[in-house]
Amino acid sequence: VGSEMCIRDRPCFVVGDIGTSLYNPSFEYDRARELVKVASKYDCHVKGHYTDFVKNLELYPKAGIGGANVGPKFTQVEFDALERLESMEQNLLSKHDIFASKFMETLYNAILESGRWKKWLLKNEEGKRFEQLSKKRRRWLLQTGARYVWMKDDVKKAREILYNNLKLYGVDGEKLVLNSLNRCMSRFFRAFNLENLNNRILDLISK
């Protein structure tokens, strides 16, 4: 069990084992309810880790879970969207005189250089070079590791070139990426009863 501090002097959230893990995202309702009961005695909320690929998200609020960590799923969606955009760019290169952004190549190199991909290696993969891993695992590690390097200067520059190239031909690359992320996030908003949350908060404040 972990804890997260807030403005007050004691934790607002505790992180407990509710059955979810990176490779087995199965939410255990009864276990979660027991943890919520214990945490509520100390005026704390339970937060679940590895919520990205949980299927029964609607059980989180029913169990009283107060928070959920999501990360790999969003970066996976962003990665896939940018990969599709570079494919569009490649089609344009054969027809127009523009310089390639080489975005995916730049991203690939940045992820490998960061070394963060090693954090997610399975026991039977430890000690292996990236190129020695299966194609499926390499792709998963790239998707997961991308979030650690989005803000690197060379990655940001390559993304800017990609977007500008597409913009020349009427394609708003940034909007397409954001739309993909929005569709992914909407699933969590609906399951956690967070739709229209800002207006609901404003209504409460104004009363």
Side-chain angles (χ1 to χ4, degrees):
V1 175
S3 65
E4 298 183 19
M5 298 299 293
C6 62
I7 297 175
R8 60 186 186 177
D9 295 330
R10 60 175 182 264
C12 290
F13 289 90
V14 293
V15 178
D17 181 2
I18 57 175
T20 57
S21 67
L22 186 60
Y23 297 109
N24 182 36
S26 178
F27 176 68
E28 298 180 17
Y29 179 84
D30 293 336
R31 180 198 288 263
R33 284 293 301 155
E34 288 302 314
L35 284 174
V36 168
K37 288 178 183 177
V38 174
S40 64
K41 294 178 182 178
Y42 302 93
D43 196 22
C44 288
H45 299 283
V46 174
K47 176 181 280 190
H49 277 185
Y50 299 117
T51 304
D52 304 75
F53 304 101
V54 172
K55 293 182 179 178
N56 51 347
L57 288 173
E58 70 283 352
L59 293 183
Y60 271 60
K62 292 179 180 178
I65 297 296
N69 281 3
V70 183
K73 178 63 177 177
F74 296 153
T75 202
Q76 180 188 82
V77 169
E78 188 168 1
F79 180 101
D80 291 349
L82 286 160
E83 188 176 51
R84 290 193 296 272
L85 289 178
E86 191 179 63
S87 293
M88 295 172 63
E89 182 194 40
Q90 289 298 318
N91 291 332
L92 293 173
L93 292 176
S94 62
K95 303 174 183 176
H96 305 281
D97 185 22
I98 56 176
F99 292 102
S101 66
K102 297 184 178 180
F103 176 79
M104 295 306 297
E105 178 183 334
T106 303
L107 182 63
Y108 175 94
N109 291 332
I111 295 170
L112 261 61
E113 289 171 7
S114 74
R116 298 296 293 269
W117 58 274
K118 296 177 181 178
K119 173 183 178 181
W120 307 107
L121 289 176
L122 303 174
K123 284 190 177 181
N124 65 341
E125 297 171 334
E126 293 176 359
K128 291 184 178 181
R129 298 191 307 276
F130 188 80
E131 295 76 14
Q132 292 177 302
L133 304 174
S134 70
K135 183 177 180 179
K136 181 178 180 181
R137 284 292 291 157
R138 291 198 305 269
R139 181 173 179 79
W140 187 91
L141 290 167
L142 289 171
Q143 290 174 319
T144 303
R147 68 187 187 276
Y148 301 117
V149 299
W150 287 136
M151 299 309 295
K152 285 184 63 68
D153 288 341
D154 54 345
V155 175
K156 289 197 303 182
K157 181 62 177 178
R159 188 195 289 239
E160 181 182 352
I161 295 171
L162 174 62
Y163 285 169
N164 286 338
N165 282 345
L166 293 171
K167 194 177 296 182
L168 289 172
Y169 302 98
V171 177
D172 190 335
E174 183 176 24
K175 184 176 181 179
L176 290 174
V177 171
L178 292 176
N179 284 344
S180 295
L181 286 167
N182 183 59
R183 286 193 295 272
C184 180
M185 291 180 181
S186 293
R187 174 173 173 259
F188 294 90
F189 294 155
R190 289 192 297 271
F192 297 156
N193 301 318
L194 296 176
E195 291 182 294
N196 201 32
L197 181 62
N198 288 341
N199 288 336
R200 284 153 55 190
I201 292 174
L202 288 174
D203 287 342
L204 287 172
I205 294 175
S206 63
K207 291 181 179 179

